[in-house]
Amino acid sequence: MIDFHAHILPGADHGSDGLKTSLRQLELAEAAHVDTIVATPHFYPQSDSFSEFLHRRERTASELANHYHGPIRILLGAEVHMCVGLDHLPGIKELCVSGTSVILSELTFRGYAGNMGETFDRMQDDGLIPILAHVDRYDPDIIESYFSQGVQGQVNADALIHRFGRRHLLNWIDDGWVIALGSDIHMTEKGYGPYLKARGILGDRAGRLDRETARLLKDAKALTNGETQKGEGSWISSR
Ligand SMILES: [Fe+2]
């Protein structure tokens, strides 16, 4: 079971206030039988220094890797706030899930959510695979305009729990536009309860999403897990 979107790096953003919280988040994920988590700290190109972000992510990822010895494979990524021209950011590849060209891309809520078409186009031309974060949060017409240009999406677990709006999310999964499920976990209050509940609602679709996500991440390199520590390399190819 893969969690494609999670804020679990200690102190990297408001998702975890420190190591104790991050380890508790991973304990909750283990109890839910999650085996793979993509750590996706927020990156805001409008206000964050890119080098500081990379440094912070590296430091917090190392701290977690040094203290977590459980079975979950943790992959390193980012949740990148979209802005027009993001494709010009030197080193943008660093924001992809480690070892892949997959970049979790968050649209803004205000006004500009529909203005990213050309930026996504250029990102795709450059070989990146942008995945829209929590597609459940936005105007479906805007999201479908991105689907029509080949950008796929991730859905948050808690959106599937509510009946309102669920139908079109399930349709998007069935049509192959939504290819990943995320807890979007922040701190520990909600834990993995909504994630498990969502999987129950998804039924067979949950396994299909896992397979599609695994395909997307087939070249990913794990930050920490028993297998890579034994030198077996890519977590999926080692299966
Ligand atoms: Fe998030």
Side-chain angles (χ1 to χ4, degrees), residues 25-202:
Q25 289 172 319
L26 289 167
E27 200 175 273
L28 293 167
E30 280 181 33
H33 303 293
V34 172
D35 57 52
T36 301
I37 298 181
V38 185
T40 52
H42 286 285
F43 173 59
Y44 299 101
Q46 303 89 335
S47 54
D48 283 348
S49 149
F50 187 43
S51 59
E52 275 172 28
F53 169 78
L54 293 179
H55 182 71
R56 185 168 70 242
R57 186 179 63 170
E58 176 69 33
R59 180 175 47 76
T60 56
S62 297
E63 186 184 7
L64 188 59
N66 287 337
H67 290 87
Y68 178 69
H69 305 296
I72 294 179
R73 298 171 177 91
I74 301 172
L75 311 179
L76 204 52
E79 179 176 11
V80 182
H81 201 266
M82 284 298 297
C83 61
V84 171
L86 180 72
D87 54 298
H88 296 306
L89 179 72
I92 187 172
K93 191 87 172 42
E94 298 280 332
L95 298 171
C96 296
V97 180
S98 183
T100 78
S101 299
V102 175
I103 180 166
L104 183 64
S105 308
E106 177 186 29
L107 296 169
T108 179
F109 280 114
R110 298 178 207 84
Y112 302 105
N115 285 9
M116 301 299 153
E118 290 179 13
T119 301
F120 279 131
D121 263 345
R122 289 193 300 267
M123 287 166 72
Q124 289 172 314
D125 287 348
D126 292 342
L128 299 177
I129 305 172
I131 301 293
L132 293 167
H134 35 60
V135 290
D136 44 277
R137 287 194 189 171
Y138 308 93
D139 178 343
D141 289 340
I142 289 175
I143 294 300
E144 287 183 0
S145 75
Y146 292 130
F147 289 165
S148 70
Q149 69 177 86
V151 181
Q152 293 173 301
Q154 168 262 319
V155 67
N156 270 13
D158 50 8
L160 289 161
I161 293 170
H162 308 293
R163 272 180 192 282
F164 181 76
R166 186 193 294 163
R167 189 66 254 170
H168 74 259
L169 297 175
L170 296 179
N171 288 341
W172 286 347
I173 293 169
D174 290 342
D175 292 342
W177 292 120
V178 167
I179 55 164
L181 175 67
S183 68
D184 201 2
I185 190 170
H186 286 72
M187 301 302 287
T188 56
E189 287 81 10
K190 288 192 192 168
Y192 274 81
Y195 178 87
L196 284 179
K197 219 181 248 184
R199 291 189 72 96
I201 289 164
L202 287 169

